[in-house]
Amino acid sequence: MDLYLGIDVGTTNLKVAAFSSDGDLVAIRRKATPLSTGSDGLPGYDADLFWDEISTMLKDVNQECHQHNIRAVSTTGMAEAMVALDEYGNCLDLVIPWFDTRSKSYSDHIVRDLGVEKIFSITGLDVNPIFSLPKLMLIQNLKPEIFGRANKWLQLPEYILYRLSGQCFTDFSLASRTMLFDIHSNDWCDSLLEYSFIQRSHLPKIVDGGTPIGLVSPEVAHHTGLPTSCVVVVGGHDHICATIPAGAVNGEHVLDSSGTAESFIYVSKSGSVLPKKFSGLRVGRYLTKDKYALWGGIVSSGASVEWGIQRLCNGTEFGDSTFDKLGYDSFFESNLNQIPVGSHGVIFLPHLRGAGAPYWNPMMRGSFLGLNSTISNADLMKSVFEGLSMQSRMIIETMEKASGSKITALNTVGGGSRLTYWQNIKATVTHRTINIPNVNEATLLGAAMLAAIGVGEYSSIEEASQVCFNIGKTISSRLESEAKYDELYKIYVQANDQTKVISEQLSKFI
């Protein structure tokens, strides 16, 4: 049997998995993503250590699959974090994680120097310290010797491609997260390169995801046992790769990747015109340059549920909750269904780690509004799910306006998809069907499908998606509750607007 490998350089875990051409998982290895400490005492990623861990997992997976033919491998994972390589391909320093905001002052410089409108008009992005450009400016100023010696700058999935093949390539989805890429010309932006003192030759070549770039190197084949005929194929950003097995590649369904954070990704139809104005959604190219993607998210989605479980579900009112989190689904059904729509007048604003789309405001704070002496833990817990669902609706409606299309369903993957109670509320609040695909490793499978495309197993991303997208469960809106939630949603939108200033004022006391 022919197999295809996916490598996921994730924030939480490093993973390697082998899949059949039908998308069936054959073997998988994972290890917690290591965070190292530099000589300056600050945290960072050791890219060499990442490769050591991944190459060991490749060897293990290959041994488990020794009776099969591994045809191709591709990579996916986190964006924005850049590896500095010298002229010999050696790593020069630890990598600043994507979520590290110590580059905030440099994103402020970009706002003053270029303006948010110009940055969006070129890159489709808001000016935020998570992106690559502010991080590069930080390195240039704090570690000029590293910046000066850098001969290549690669995001972590691109670096793993390089270690596999010796080639420096990226796709359009990863390039779109650097703040150096022009989403209109589909190329690196000369004016931003000049601004950042980055040479074009220092960045990888941009091609479509699913493009073969060579074979695994003899050294890699020797160390891992992979066949020397194994083709290395360009992958893409982790959430973008997940759209393939999630069936969200057609401009009608949105990927809802529900984890600690929750990302919503809309993929346009081929040839669609890019949005002209920033509506609170990040815009980037898809795996292929003929489509664009809209990005929105809730920064602390699953984190809000976890927060509620820890603080609200361990008291006498909820009884003994010593079972694991997956056991909470029936727990919520039996304890929260008796709470009416609107949780007895309580609204939860889910900004425990700042606000994502459409605000992108790290100073926003979470809150409960409407408390009185009769409010119970059950009321508060249900309002957490309602608040998250209200924020989801705001993002989805913004996507419809920006794209000019009708979104009919959310295709939900990740840990949150297993909480049916939550998804029932979300379906009703958003007035949309929620599809739960039958897939546990969506990003890995997406990368493996790109590997299959690279060797001609499939002719397109759309064909691969049709093969590996299988709906495990469909959740429909509860029509009898829609009107009440519509009324609550109007109040929720007002609450977000009216607490923004208060949140920013409170942030000085953090």
Side-chain angles (χ1 to χ4, degrees):
M1 178 169 62
D2 289 339
L3 297 182
Y4 304 92
L5 298 184
I7 299 172
D8 183 4
V9 191
T11 307
T12 304
N13 289 295
L14 306 176
K15 301 178 187 178
V16 175
F19 296 88
S20 70
S21 59
D22 294 330
D24 294 329
L25 179 63
V26 177
I28 186 170
R29 295 292 186 276
R30 60 171 60 84
K31 185 162 185 178
T33 302
L35 192 62
S36 303
T37 302
S39 57
D40 53 7
L42 296 174
Y45 292 135
D46 185 335
D48 285 328
L49 177 59
F50 277 28
W51 170 247
D52 290 342
E53 299 286 8
I54 288 169
S55 60
T56 299
M57 288 189 282
L58 283 168
K59 183 177 181 179
D60 291 344
V61 167
N62 179 68
Q63 289 177 343
E64 184 173 341
C65 301
H66 68 275
Q67 72 274 32
H68 303 298
N69 176 38
I70 296 177
R71 291 188 67 192
V73 58
S74 188
T75 64
T76 185
M78 67 179 94
E80 294 105 29
M82 301 286 275
V83 185
L85 301 180
D86 67 14
E87 61 181 317
Y88 304 107
N90 300 312
C91 295
L92 291 170
D93 198 10
L94 292 183
V95 178
I96 301 174
W98 67 267
F99 52 80
D100 190 314
T101 58
R102 74 183 93 157
S103 53
K104 173 72 166 59
S105 62
Y106 296 95
S107 62
D108 292 341
H109 275 296
I110 295 170
V111 172
R112 290 194 295 269
D113 293 346
L114 303 177
V116 293
E117 292 83 4
K118 182 174 181 177
I119 290 296
F120 178 79
S121 70
I122 297 172
T123 69
L125 302 175
D126 58 306
V127 181
N128 192 295
I130 72 165
F131 297 120
S132 304
L133 175 54
K135 288 178 169 57
L136 291 170
M137 294 171 67
L138 171 68
I139 296 168
Q140 180 188 8
N141 283 274
L142 294 187
K143 298 183 177 182
E145 73 286 356
I146 297 294
F147 190 87
R149 290 176 60 198
N151 187 61
K152 275 288 187 293
W153 293 99
L154 302 177
Q155 294 174 83
L156 282 162
E158 302 159 2
Y159 174 70
I160 301 303
L161 275 182
Y162 169 72
R163 292 301 300 262
L164 287 166
S165 66
Q167 304 295 317
C168 294
F169 282 85
T170 190
D171 85 300
F172 294 98
S173 69
L174 283 168
S176 293
R177 306 296 287 184
T178 61
M179 204 182 284
L180 294 169
F181 176 73
D182 187 327
I183 60 173
H184 302 277
S185 66
N186 292 314
D187 199 358
W188 300 118
C189 175
D190 288 329
S191 63
L192 291 175
L193 293 179
E194 182 179 357
Y195 175 78
S196 59
F197 298 97
I198 299 290
Q199 296 180 34
R200 180 179 288 266
S201 62
H202 290 172
L203 296 172
K205 183 178 179 180
I206 311 169
V207 296
D208 287 345
T211 299
I213 58 172
L215 304 176
V216 295
S217 70
E219 179 184 359
V220 170
H222 174 74
H223 182 74
T224 64
L226 290 174
T228 54
S229 60
C230 181
V231 179
V232 181
V233 179
V234 174
H237 188 283
D238 48 12
H239 291 309
I240 292 289
C241 283
T243 63
I244 300 173
V249 299
N250 62 358
E252 296 177 0
H253 295 185
V254 162
L255 171 69
D256 174 7
S257 181
S258 181
T260 300
E262 189 166 8
S263 294
F264 298 87
I265 296 179
Y266 164 88
V267 179
S268 75
K269 289 182 170 59
S270 180
S272 297
V273 178
L274 288 161
K276 295 181 180 180
K277 294 182 179 180
F278 181 64
S279 60
L281 300 170
R282 291 164 177 164
V283 183
R285 284 296 175 183
Y286 187 53
L287 294 158
T288 55
K289 61 177 175 291
D290 61 322
K291 295 184 176 184
Y292 69 81
L294 298 178
W295 302 63
I298 304 172
V299 180
S300 50
S301 182
S304 293
V305 176
E306 178 74 18
W307 181 90
I309 287 172
Q310 291 175 351
R311 290 162 177 80
L312 302 172
C313 296
N314 292 321
T316 56
E317 182 181 335
F318 276 76
D320 182 17
S321 55
T322 57
F323 43 85
D324 65 33
K325 282 182 286 186
L326 292 182
Y328 275 96
D329 202 30
S330 59
F331 184 62
F332 292 137
E333 291 281 353
S334 59
N335 285 277
L336 302 187
N337 272 340
Q338 60 187 322
I339 307 299
V341 168
S343 303
H344 290 116
V346 175
I347 283 179
F348 174 69
L349 302 181
H351 310 314
L352 300 186
R353 298 177 179 175
Y359 311 106
W360 302 112
N361 185 347
M363 297 296 104
M364 286 281 280
R365 307 290 292 276
S367 61
F368 288 105
L369 299 177
L371 296 177
N372 62 38
S373 61
T374 67
I375 295 299
S376 67
N377 282 2
D379 292 323
L380 296 176
M381 192 68 227
K382 181 163 186 171
S383 74
V384 169
F385 291 117
E386 290 178 331
L388 289 167
S389 300
M390 297 285 169
Q391 193 65 36
S392 299
R393 175 171 172 173
M394 188 180 296
I395 293 170
I396 296 304
E397 290 186 350
T398 304
M399 285 182 166
E400 284 191 329
K401 292 178 182 177
S403 65
S405 63
K406 176 64 178 175
I407 294 169
T408 60
L410 309 183
N411 294 1
T412 305
V413 300
S417 68
R418 296 193 288 271
L419 285 175
T420 303
Y421 178 81
W422 179 7
Q423 303 309 318
N424 278 326
I425 292 178
K426 188 190 297 179
T428 306
V429 169
T430 62
H431 297 203
R432 285 165 179 84
T433 299
I434 291 182
N435 298 315
I436 311 296
N438 220 358
V439 60
N440 291 322
E441 297 290 347
T443 57
L444 275 170
L445 179 52
M449 289 297 99
L450 289 171
I453 291 169
V455 292
E457 180 69 25
Y458 299 110
S459 62
S460 67
I461 289 172
E462 290 75 17
E463 182 186 358
S465 180
Q466 289 175 357
V467 170
C468 65
F469 172 51
N470 296 292
I471 299 177
K473 182 188 296 183
T474 297
I475 298 172
S476 300
S477 173
R478 295 178 176 176
L479 300 179
E480 69 277 8
S481 299
E482 282 187 355
K484 198 71 174 176
Y485 273 132
D486 288 347
E487 184 180 352
L488 186 66
Y489 179 67
K490 294 177 183 177
I491 301 170
Y492 178 86
V493 173
Q494 290 179 335
N496 267 291
D497 293 339
Q498 294 175 10
T499 58
K500 177 183 176 183
V501 174
I502 294 173
S503 290
E504 292 177 350
Q505 290 173 339
L506 287 173
S507 67
K508 69 179 67 174
F509 295 99
I510 296 176

